[in-house]
Amino acid sequence: MDNTDKYLLNYKGYNFVSAVVNDSDFLENIEDFEIRDDDVFIITYPKSGTIWTQQILSLIYSEGHRNGTENLQTIDIVPFFEYNIRKVDFLKRPSPRLFVSHLTYNLVPKGLMNKKAKYVPQPREKKIIYVYRNPKDVLTSYFHFSNLVVIFEAMNNIEELLEKFLDGKVVGGLWFDHVRGWYEHRHDFNILFMMYEEMKKDLRSSVLKISSFLEKELSEEDVETIVKQATFQNMKSDPRANSDDIINNDLGRRTNEGRFLRKGTVGDWKCHLTVEQNERFDKVFQRKMRDVPLKFIWDLNEG
């Protein structure tokens, strides 16, 4: 475990947020964490729709969250697995347990993997929802977030971050390895891939797709409520979902300007990357992702 960097803690080649890892023993035993058959994990690379998907799962699983009778933050319903900032005893959580994580495929608990050589999904079995986002918008969101919270290294400009991002010297490691790793080992898990941009284009269909994968039957009224409460603007104004409290109390603000949920748009990278930076990014992307058939959307012309 390498903790020579002020902001990053490197463990088995993966970069954790140094300031939020409060249990090194947990990290060292993470692969042996006991998984239950009905556990559900959201997996994302940082800044790829994590909080959004947390909110969707909270609304799907919790009637109290949908109708407002339960005043729990999404992080308490779907806690971070490797960043247990509330210091919850995960072993005592009632089933089904919901988690969110940024871990790579090789660091998650071995119990999440399938036991069979050729996998056939079984009903009510541990599930993973992997949400991926076009990496130029990930980069842009990471840039603003790193300048908002004190536990991330502040960047003077996008060029400084671009170099680190393409070298994997950021939280979450190399984006290309993260996405490729999960995709190439998809048959080892019961996993649903969701694209951030498709969720933006058609949130209702995405909610139905996720609930079907989770085998959660929802009424038409439930679906409409979930879709309404999971829109970006409604989340931004909902203290249970917008995670501003986490910045103020757990992560620490560098500035009073900015929110955890910033824009949530598609194509904002065009306002930040120069032509030269974009071309450099494209070359690396094409080289590292040419044999990965995942679809990517770079702009939705949202205006």
Side-chain angles (χ1 to χ4, degrees), residues 177-203:
D177 288 351
H178 199 284
V179 176
R180 282 187 67 102
W182 276 106
Y183 183 77
E184 290 176 350
H185 291 84
R186 65 194 181 280
H187 298 304
D188 296 335
F189 304 92
N190 184 13
I191 189 167
L192 172 69
F193 282 83
M194 297 293 297
M195 190 205 307
Y196 178 97
E197 291 79 11
E198 290 285 6
M199 292 168 65
K200 285 287 293 184
K201 283 170 65 177
D202 191 343
L203 180 55

Side-chain angles (χ1 to χ4, degrees), residues 207-260:
V207 168
L208 290 172
K209 189 174 182 180
I210 290 171
S211 60
S212 174
F213 175 71
L214 297 173
E215 299 168 85
K216 297 290 288 184
E217 291 188 13
L218 299 171
S219 68
E220 186 64 30
E221 183 181 1
D222 288 339
V223 173
E224 294 307 318
T225 300
I226 292 168
V227 170
K228 181 179 179 181
Q229 293 190 41
T231 63
F232 186 82
Q233 288 306 319
N234 282 341
M235 280 183 59
K236 198 166 184 177
S237 61
D238 184 351
R240 298 176 307 165
N242 61 26
S243 292
D244 283 343
D245 182 60
I246 296 172
I247 292 182
N248 297 332
N249 298 325
D250 299 295
L251 308 185
R253 280 183 174 273
R254 186 171 275 124
T255 171
N256 288 325
E257 298 292 322
R259 305 277 299 277
F260 204 120

Side-chain angles (χ1 to χ4, degrees), residues 114-122 125 186-189:
N114 309 315
K115 301 293 189 294
K116 301 172 186 175
K118 187 167 183 178
Y119 180 59
V120 179
Q122 300 296 315
E125 189 169 26
R186 65 194 181 280
H187 298 304
D188 296 335
F189 304 92

Side-chain angles (χ1 to χ4, degrees), residues 153-165 277:
E153 181 180 6
M155 304 291 167
N156 295 315
N157 50 62
I158 202 102
E159 173 68 26
E160 184 180 350
L161 176 58
L162 180 61
E163 293 298 323
K164 291 178 179 291
F165 189 85
Q277 288 168 339

Side-chain angles (χ1 to χ4, degrees), residues 71 95 242 289:
N71 191 27
S95 295
N242 61 26
M289 302 296 288

Side-chain angles (χ1 to χ4, degrees), residues 9 67 201 252 265:
L9 185 150
N67 61 28
K201 283 170 65 177
T265 56

Side-chain angles (χ1 to χ4, degrees), residues 11-201:
Y11 176 65
K12 293 189 175 181
Y14 179 85
N15 292 327
F16 292 86
V17 184
S18 182
V20 198
V21 174
N22 52 35
D23 188 349
S24 58
D25 287 340
F26 179 76
L27 280 192
E28 290 172 2
N29 294 288
I30 207 166
E31 293 169 64
D32 298 318
F33 179 84
E34 188 173 343
I35 294 294
R36 299 175 192 164
D37 284 344
D38 54 1
D39 284 347
V40 177
F41 276 69
I42 300 166
I43 306 278
T44 65
Y45 185 86
K47 312 311 296 176
S48 299
T50 313
I51 294 173
W52 191 15
T53 317
Q54 274 178 290
Q55 170 75 336
I56 291 171
L57 254 65
S58 297
L59 292 164
I60 287 175
Y61 276 89
S62 173
E63 183 180 355
H65 200 66
R66 289 198 298 272
N67 61 28
T69 60
E70 182 180 79
N71 191 27
L72 283 176
Q73 291 185 320
T74 54
I75 195 172
D76 295 313
I77 302 173
V78 191
F80 248 101
F81 184 63
E82 65 269 30
Y83 301 124
N84 187 5
I85 61 174
R86 301 278 206 248
K87 296 182 173 61
V88 175
D89 186 345
F90 292 154
L91 298 179
K92 292 182 179 178
R93 283 182 69 87
S95 295
R97 296 182 303 185
L98 311 176
F99 295 106
V100 65
S101 174
H102 293 320
L103 291 174
T104 48
Y105 80 94
N106 58 316
L107 285 182
V108 296
K110 290 185 176 71
L112 271 175
M113 298 182 72
N114 309 315
K115 301 293 189 294
K116 301 172 186 175
K118 187 167 183 178
Y119 180 59
V120 179
Q122 300 296 315
R124 287 177 292 280
E125 189 169 26
K126 56 211 170 186
K127 294 175 170 66
I128 295 172
I129 299 169
Y130 186 91
V131 182
Y132 69 98
R133 183 184 191 185
N134 91 66
K136 294 176 188 177
D137 279 334
V138 170
L139 172 80
T140 302
S141 181
Y142 191 108
F143 173 70
H144 288 281
F145 192 70
S146 66
N147 287 319
L148 173 63
V149 297
V150 296
I151 64 169
F152 275 47
E153 181 180 6
M155 304 291 167
N156 295 315
N157 50 62
I158 202 102
E159 173 68 26
E160 184 180 350
L161 176 58
L162 180 61
E163 293 298 323
K164 291 178 179 291
F165 189 85
L166 294 178
D167 285 340
K169 295 177 180 177
V170 291
V171 174
L174 190 61
W175 178 91
F176 305 98
D177 288 351
H178 199 284
V179 176
R180 282 187 67 102
W182 276 106
Y183 183 77
E184 290 176 350
H185 291 84
R186 65 194 181 280
H187 298 304
D188 296 335
F189 304 92
N190 184 13
I191 189 167
L192 172 69
F193 282 83
M194 297 293 297
M195 190 205 307
Y196 178 97
E197 291 79 11
E198 290 285 6
M199 292 168 65
K200 285 287 293 184
K201 283 170 65 177

